[in-house]
Amino acid sequence: MKNFLKVERAKQNITQAELAVRVGVSRQTINSIEIGKYVPSTLLALKIASVFEVSLDHIFMLEESDWS
Amino acid sequence: MKNFLKVERAKQNITQAELAVRVGVSRQTINSIEIGKYVPSTLLALKIASVFEVSLDHIFMLEESDWS
DNA sequence: TCAAAAAGACAAGTTTGTTTTACATTTTAT
DNA sequence: ATAAAATGTAAAACAAACTTGTCTTTTTGA
């Protein structure tokens, strides 16, 4: 799964720490998601999308390899 | 978090078992999500949305209480 | 009405997400 | 050039997602 968290943060000029506070997780959680260390729960992903005011599909996307 | 998995399955006439196979998880996982036992990962939620050919936001929705 | 299929439930165990702490590196602004 | 802010990284511990297995209940259709 790909994500455009970093891009979206850049667009809206929000730091990892600030995003973390706004969605109620630790900064490292945001960082880990951003560098692809793991996939967030749907709850967290929806919250992130909500903070950015975009749809989830705009930030998180399936890849071919996710189906194998 | 609310979800309309059951509704969507009904619409498309797909059983829990069939959906489970198509997204690559156990039937119990689908069942547990449906009855609100737990929240799926973003990967799984995206796959489910993909099988149903709708956007994730159409099936999984945040509630007020998710923010507290 | 009866059997088969589908769905609900539950417990134990494994895997993965998340937190916390702590430190190193990079970026930004002065 | 330097300090401060932001980001990267990593390990240990805990919480939540997911599996497997088994059993019960509900729904469906012949």
Side-chain angles (χ1 to χ4, degrees):
Chain A
M1 220 196 55
K2 249 188 284 194
N3 79 71
F4 296 96
L5 220 54
K6 197 168 183 170
V7 175
E8 209 53 38
R9 271 200 313 108
K11 273 190 196 166
Q12 309 212 11
N13 216 47
I14 294 177
T15 70
Q16 292 181 344
E18 191 183 341
L19 178 57
V21 169
R22 295 189 57 189
V23 299
V25 297
S26 70
R27 179 181 71 79
Q28 286 76 356
T29 295
I30 298 297
N31 184 252
S32 298
I33 294 168
E34 221 166 81
I35 66 183
K37 201 168 170 188
Y38 63 70
V39 172
S41 72
T42 300
L43 188 56
L44 180 48
L46 279 173
K47 284 185 182 178
I48 291 171
S50 166
V51 163
F52 285 143
E53 295 181 312
V54 298
S55 79
L56 191 149
D57 318 49
H58 199 254
I59 306 185
F60 299 94
M61 301 174 70
L62 285 180
E63 297 176 284
E64 279 304 325
S65 60
D66 291 323
W67 292 98
S68 52
Chain B
M1 221 195 55
K2 249 187 286 194
N3 78 70
F4 296 96
L5 220 54
K6 196 168 184 172
V7 175
E8 208 54 37
R9 268 199 317 107
K11 273 189 196 167
Q12 310 211 11
N13 216 47
I14 295 177
T15 70
Q16 292 181 344
E18 191 183 341
L19 179 55
V21 169
R22 296 189 57 188
V23 300
V25 296
S26 69
R27 181 181 70 81
Q28 287 77 355
T29 295
I30 298 297
N31 184 253
S32 298
I33 293 168
E34 224 167 77
I35 66 183
K37 203 167 169 188
Y38 61 71
V39 172
S41 72
T42 299
L43 188 56
L44 178 49
L46 279 173
K47 284 185 182 178
I48 291 172
S50 166
V51 164
F52 285 143
E53 295 182 312
V54 298
S55 79
L56 192 149
D57 318 49
H58 199 255
I59 305 185
F60 299 93
M61 302 175 69
L62 284 180
E63 296 175 284
E64 280 302 325
S65 60
D66 292 324
W67 292 98
S68 52

